[in-house]
Amino acid sequence: MNTQFKKGVLELIVLISISNKDMYGYELVLEVSKIVDVNEGTIYPLLKRLTNEKYAETYLVESTEGPSRKYYKITKLGIDRMNELESIWFNFSKAVNDFIMEVKK
Amino acid sequence: MNKNEFLNELRKRLKLLDNGEIDDIISEYSVTIDEKIKNGKTEIEAVKDFGDIDELAKEILSAYKINPDYKEKNSNSDIDNIINRINEIIKDLSRKVVDIGNKFLNKMKIESNNDKDTTTIILELLFKVIIVLFIITILRLPFVIISSIGSALLGVGNFSFSKFTVLTFSILMEFIYIIACIYFGSLIINKFIFTSPKRNTPTGEPSDNNKDTVFKYKEDVNNKSNEVNNMIVAEEKKDKKNKDIVTIRESNYSNLKNNSGCSSIIMILLKLFVILVFIVPLIALIVISSIFLIFFFLLTISGIPVIGACIALIGGIILTASLINIFISIISEKTNLKITPIIVSIVLILVGITVSVNNIFKIEYISDPYKDNINLKSSEYIFEVNDETDINVGSSDYTKKIDNTITDNKVYITVLYSDYIISNVEVVKMVDYIDFKYSIQKENDFMYFKNIINKIKDDLKNNKIYDYDKLRNIHIKIKANEETLDKISIVRNIQYRDI
């Protein structure tokens, strides 16, 4: 899949994922790669950006089996952003689907 | 690439960011790599998954809205590299000092566990007092430098300023010094002395300052559409997490305070050192140069060809400003340097010097202003003398002249002086000696200064310059016939001559 295209959707997927439950970085990588084939290098910068833009906040939790993990938690602002992206996505995909259907007919 | 290589490379590429942020990012990647290795990947594979490291670094930087190409554009400049190196040295140095300091503090902590609280407190207090004393000493430096520059500059003309002016100036300097001490002292006390007790007794309240380590936990169930059972499990989990988090936060908080408190103190000290030793004197230099520039500019307008000095001074001011810029960029750890002003200023200085040298060669230096007899006042006195008479010339220069047309026992004394500098010349005949009394004009500092400037200006218009120091003394011409001249003796009495 086109990388630019993927990046755009990635933000939405990550926001939805952490709105469901707080997750740490690698957990998110695994979760997201279930849906899209993504280079995990792009996920961390995205998480960084989301925290910088206050869509998500972080906290540390000590893990019994290694170093402490940084968990990502969605903020109210992040939920607004998620809803916005969601509606954009639905409108966009609907428009594209409609177009394809119409032409293919 | 293995894990360490990868992390080091990444750190290098993220240099633009704040140190704390870099550490944060690096630790995140480090944790992830460990996690992957645990899940059965090799180290190399785990690193490979991140893809091209340059691309990754660009992505991270763009998450901070930093233009990722910024570094590459500027990396050609040598000065940038030098500044980066200086920055690294300063950081390394501070890190090392912090390490030593931490070891020291840890040692003390271990001791304090063995019921030695009071000694620890005393030691810590001593340590802080030493730091404060050190700061006060450092703060003294720029004032010493400025005053020595100032006195050197003022000393050129050998102008004597009234005690009042000097006193006012020194009081002003002391005042600035004390204010600087209070300002920086409070800065350091705030950063260091008042934060350190928290290290031993972390409070339970979360602090908003430490973004990542501080836990901002807010119950927010509304956004979740889980089933009730799940919710209960989640709540339990949260509670457990909460406890864990609080303890982690406390330990992290104390560590953070310990480290960043100390390192920021040392960074402040180093920056303070740079500010005081380089920037403050340079700013003073700019101020002084500007005053001189105005002065030379006025001279140029009034017809004395010192345009070369003006050009050189402008160049000097630009150069000083760019030096200040360099030091400021070292302090703020930014590298926005332009080499053009430095080149321009050097060119200006060279041109200015060439022009001035050309002018200076035209000027004739006359070491004895009394030989070149212009603009000097003279007053003549005639005295009767005998064998006993001494002429007390003090420290002034004198010339003897034989004139046999003068009758015996008569002496003609001519006193030459510059009325710009000397007033009230008086020649007094006592029983057995002749004394000279005069005073240097300084009723009004400004007028005195202005007079001298005018004198120099007039002389320079004639392409002549004198040893003006000599004008602070009178010149005595003694004229008599041969016999009388043999009779009298001339003595040098080093007395204070001012009336």
Side-chain angles (χ1 to χ4, degrees):
Chain A
M1 216 199 284
N2 181 293
T3 43
Q4 281 306 108
F5 200 73
K6 244 191 276 182
K7 257 189 219 168
V9 198
L10 212 54
E11 185 178 345
L12 178 60
I13 294 172
V14 167
L15 282 174
I16 292 173
S17 303
I18 58 172
S19 77
N20 188 39
K21 92 181 206 278
D22 298 353
M23 287 172 135
Y24 61 93
Y26 188 57
E27 200 181 355
L28 257 169
V29 170
L30 294 177
E31 176 92 9
V32 173
S33 52
K34 277 184 213 158
I35 310 156
V36 277
D37 176 32
V38 68
N39 174 1
E40 61 186 88
T42 52
I43 292 208
Y44 290 99
L46 173 67
L47 286 171
K48 206 73 227 181
R49 188 166 63 78
L50 291 179
T51 34
N52 284 352
E53 286 171 7
K54 304 269 191 292
Y55 295 143
E57 49 191 26
T58 60
Y59 58 90
L60 286 177
V61 171
E62 200 142 44
S63 155
T64 44
E65 34 188 308
S68 46
R69 285 168 174 166
K70 192 197 268 179
Y71 273 79
Y72 291 85
K73 176 180 161 61
I74 197 160
T75 62
K76 287 228 168 79
L77 206 67
I79 291 166
D80 294 342
R81 174 74 176 163
M82 180 184 74
N83 292 333
E84 185 196 340
L85 283 176
E86 224 171 57
S87 64
I88 291 173
W89 169 254
F90 281 135
N91 290 334
F92 176 71
S93 59
K94 187 179 177 298
V96 175
N97 282 338
D98 290 352
F99 174 73
I100 294 170
M101 290 313 216
E102 215 177 285
V103 174
K104 286 265 169 92
K105 254 178 201 174
Chain B
M1 231 187 315
N2 66 23
K3 181 187 161 193
N4 278 339
E5 280 169 356
F6 170 77
L7 294 179
N8 282 337
E9 284 296 309
L10 191 61
R11 185 181 279 277
K12 265 188 214 162
R13 283 165 174 75
L14 298 179
K15 248 184 206 163
L16 269 177
L17 300 178
D18 175 65
N19 264 352
E21 285 290 338
I22 296 177
D23 290 343
D24 195 40
I25 295 166
I26 295 295
S27 76
E28 177 120 16
Y29 280 88
S30 162
V31 170
T32 307
I33 292 169
D34 290 344
E35 199 106 18
K36 281 195 216 161
I37 292 168
K38 217 164 55 197
N39 289 1
K41 281 187 177 174
T42 68
E43 207 175 300
I44 312 274
E45 277 172 349
V47 171
K48 231 179 188 175
D49 283 345
F50 291 117
D52 182 31
I53 191 163
D54 283 319
E55 281 300 315
L56 180 63
K58 274 186 187 181
E59 295 255 8
I60 296 172
L61 288 178
S62 63
Y64 288 88
K65 297 194 167 67
I66 290 170
N67 174 9
D69 295 324
Y70 173 80
K71 260 228 123 96
E72 288 161 28
K73 271 183 208 160
N74 283 281
S75 59
N76 299 329
S77 154
D78 283 346
I79 294 170
D80 275 1
N81 289 337
I82 291 167
I83 286 175
N84 284 337
R85 228 169 290 149
I86 293 171
N87 259 330
E88 268 165 30
I89 290 167
I90 290 177
K91 276 177 196 164
D92 268 10
L93 204 75
S94 64
R95 244 178 242 152
K96 273 175 195 164
V97 178
V98 168
D99 279 351
I100 294 166
N102 280 342
K103 273 178 198 164
F104 180 65
L105 284 173
N106 282 339
K107 249 188 187 173
M108 293 203 304
K109 262 189 190 165
I110 293 162
E111 279 177 17
S112 78
N113 288 338
N114 304 332
D115 296 332
K116 281 182 182 173
D117 277 334
T118 42
T119 43
T120 319
I121 290 165
I122 289 166
L123 272 174
E124 276 196 36
L125 211 70
L126 263 176
F127 190 54
K128 286 162 192 169
V129 168
I130 288 167
I131 286 180
V132 170
L133 286 177
F134 179 65
I135 294 158
I136 291 171
T137 324
I138 286 184
L139 280 168
R140 192 77 219 178
L141 262 172
F143 294 95
V144 174
I145 293 170
I146 292 171
S147 60
S148 59
I149 290 174
S151 61
L153 282 169
L154 293 176
V156 171
N158 238 323
F159 306 131
S160 62
F161 285 92
S162 75
K163 276 174 190 164
F164 179 73
T165 318
V166 174
L167 195 73
T168 326
F169 186 69
S170 54
I171 285 173
L172 196 75
M173 289 306 267
E174 288 298 319
F175 189 65
I176 296 172
Y177 169 61
I178 288 165
I179 285 180
C181 277
I182 290 169
Y183 176 71
F184 288 112
S186 64
L187 209 77
I188 275 140
I189 284 166
N190 272 336
K191 276 261 180 189
F192 184 64
I193 294 180
F194 288 135
T195 51
S196 57
K198 284 182 190 166
R199 193 181 56 232
N200 301 326
T201 54
T203 51
E205 302 160 65
S207 155
D208 288 329
N209 297 332
N210 309 314
K211 287 179 219 156
D212 294 318
T213 47
V214 172
F215 167 56
K216 293 181 189 166
Y217 211 81
K218 287 172 192 158
E219 296 293 318
D220 196 355
V221 207
N222 299 336
N223 61 335
K224 305 209 171 174
S225 53
N226 289 352
E227 290 175 17
V228 184
N229 282 345
N230 283 349
M231 262 173 71
I232 291 162
V233 175
E235 283 299 322
E236 273 172 7
K237 266 188 190 168
K238 270 182 194 169
D239 270 348
K240 210 186 163 191
K241 261 188 209 167
N242 209 341
K243 273 178 198 163
D244 284 349
I245 290 153
V246 170
T247 49
I248 295 161
R249 189 187 54 71
E250 279 185 7
S251 64
N252 275 332
Y253 181 55
S254 60
N255 281 338
L256 201 91
K257 276 285 168 195
N258 201 351
N259 284 323
S260 74
C262 253
S263 76
S264 66
I265 282 296
I266 281 143
M267 283 307 281
I268 286 176
L269 281 181
L270 286 168
K271 285 175 179 177
L272 199 65
F273 186 77
V274 175
I275 291 175
L276 293 180
V277 176
F278 298 106
I279 295 181
V280 173
L282 284 175
I283 289 172
L285 196 64
I286 281 199
V287 173
I288 292 166
S289 312
S290 308
I291 293 167
F292 270 74
L293 179 63
I294 294 166
F295 174 63
F296 279 116
F297 184 68
L298 291 176
L299 283 185
T300 314
I301 288 175
S302 63
I304 297 158
V306 283
I307 191 82
C310 286
I311 296 171
L313 273 174
I314 292 172
I317 289 170
I318 297 173
L319 188 65
T320 323
S322 22
L323 281 178
I324 290 174
N325 187 28
I326 288 174
F327 284 118
I328 285 175
S329 60
I330 288 176
I331 283 178
S332 60
E333 289 163 38
K334 281 175 199 156
T335 51
N336 52 339
L337 262 189
K338 281 162 194 155
I339 201 150
T340 358
I342 295 175
I343 294 169
V344 169
S345 62
I346 289 170
V347 170
L348 279 176
I349 289 172
L350 288 178
V351 170
I353 287 172
T354 326
V355 176
S356 324
V357 164
N358 192 27
N359 280 330
I360 284 166
F361 274 125
K362 280 189 206 153
I363 295 169
E364 189 188 351
Y365 176 75
I366 296 154
S367 61
D368 189 356
Y370 290 106
K371 272 184 191 155
D372 199 75
N373 209 343
I374 43 160
N375 289 331
L376 290 176
K377 287 248 161 145
S378 68
S379 40
E380 200 175 56
Y381 306 84
I382 306 163
F383 293 107
E384 288 285 334
V385 291
N386 55 39
D387 295 352
E388 302 285 302
T389 310
D390 290 339
I391 297 178
N392 184 2
V393 295
S395 56
S396 308
D397 284 342
Y398 66 91
T399 46
K400 286 197 277 188
K401 205 174 174 189
I402 299 165
D403 186 347
N404 285 328
T405 57
I406 301 169
T407 50
D408 274 355
N409 292 336
K410 240 183 196 164
V411 173
Y412 283 75
I413 292 176
T414 315
V415 178
L416 284 176
Y417 64 97
S418 163
D419 59 346
Y420 286 109
I421 298 171
I422 288 165
S423 63
N424 300 334
V425 178
E426 223 179 299
V427 183
V428 192
K429 169 95 168 58
M430 309 301 267
V431 183
D432 56 352
Y433 67 92
I434 295 168
D435 212 359
F436 299 87
K437 293 186 171 180
Y438 57 91
S439 60
I440 290 172
Q441 283 191 347
K442 57 177 177 186
E443 296 84 13
N444 188 329
D445 269 347
F446 181 70
M447 283 305 291
Y448 173 61
F449 192 73
K450 202 180 154 193
N451 281 340
I452 289 181
I453 298 297
N454 282 334
K455 170 106 179 79
I456 296 173
K457 241 160 74 176
D458 287 345
D459 293 342
L460 277 174
K461 275 181 189 163
N462 298 321
N463 275 332
K464 276 174 183 165
I465 196 149
Y466 302 100
D467 182 352
Y468 294 97
D469 202 24
K470 289 230 167 91
L471 289 177
R472 289 162 64 85
N473 272 322
I474 53 170
H475 187 89
I476 302 158
K477 282 183 176 171
I478 303 161
K479 206 160 72 172
N481 67 27
E482 204 171 350
E483 211 179 309
T484 321
L485 267 184
D486 282 344
K487 254 190 233 169
I488 56 168
S489 51
I490 289 162
V491 293
R492 289 198 175 277
N493 186 358
I494 307 157
Q495 268 179 10
Y496 190 55
R497 302 257 114 226
D498 279 356
I499 300 170

